[in-house]
């Protein structure tokens, strides 16, 4: 846990969030500034700063996060599709330095992303 990390504080419960799902490895909560009718964030409970810090040893955790994204999308009724995004680093538009998957759905997504 990183003491000055917003998402570590949400995991610890010291910053409130609309918690949707959690298990030993991850927490899912609603994005505070939703960009789609469904906009969930899925974060590992362990602090990993970004996907750029991922290593082969993280593969089971990363797979778990992806599988949970699919499960949560099914639970949210996103049968017409959705988008999973991992913004990484300054050029990737990452603003919170704790690895997170955005699960966005409920509207048509454009391509390419901005
Ligand atoms: P990034 O830009 O790093 O890919 O995504 C960070 C996301 O975290 C943004 O979509 C932003 O709205 C969300 N966010 C930032 N601070 C908070 C917070 O305190 N609570 C919640 N629920 N979401 C947050
Ligand atoms: Zn953190």
């Amino acid at each position: 846990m990183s003491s000055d990390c917003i998402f570590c504080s949400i995991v610890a419960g010291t910053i409130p969030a609309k918690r949707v799902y959690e298990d030993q490895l991850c927490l899912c909560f609603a994005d505070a500034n939703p960009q789609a009718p469904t906009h969930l964030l899925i974060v590992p409970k362990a602090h990993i700063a970004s996907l750029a810090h991922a290593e082969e040893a993280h593969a089971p955790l990363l797979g778990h996060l992806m599988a949970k994204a699919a499960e949560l999308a099914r639970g949210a009724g996103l049968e017409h599709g959705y988008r999973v995004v991992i913004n990484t680093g300054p050029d990737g538009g990452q603003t919170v330095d704790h690895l997170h998957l955005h699960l966005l759905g409920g509207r048509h997504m454009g391509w390419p992303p901005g």
Side-chain angles (χ1 to χ4, degrees):
M1 157 144 186
S2 172
S3 57
D4 57 356
C5 170
I6 298 171
F7 288 175
C8 280
S9 297
I10 289 175
V11 167
T14 54
I15 290 180
K18 188 177 169 200
R19 299 164 87 100
V20 171
Y21 170 83
E22 88 178 280
D23 60 28
Q24 281 186 311
L25 294 176
C26 71
L27 173 68
C28 174
F29 55 93
D31 195 294
N33 183 23
Q35 301 301 311
T38 296
H39 188 171
L40 301 176
L41 299 173
I42 304 161
V43 309
K45 287 190 168 177
H47 181 85
I48 301 170
S50 81
L51 188 63
H53 294 74
E55 298 171 1
E56 187 60 32
H58 294 118
L61 172 62
L62 296 172
H64 181 74
L65 298 176
M66 293 288 282
K68 284 299 159 192
E71 190 178 306
L72 287 158
R74 285 191 288 273
L78 301 179
E79 62 274 359
H80 295 301
Y82 52 88
R83 186 167 292 174
V84 175
V85 174
I86 305 177
N87 295 325
T88 305
D91 276 2
Q94 184 176 6
T95 60
V96 176
D97 291 336
H98 179 129
L99 175 65
H100 51 283
L101 280 63
H102 294 260
L103 172 60
L104 297 143
R107 66 168 173 82
H108 183 76
M109 304 288 158
W111 191 265

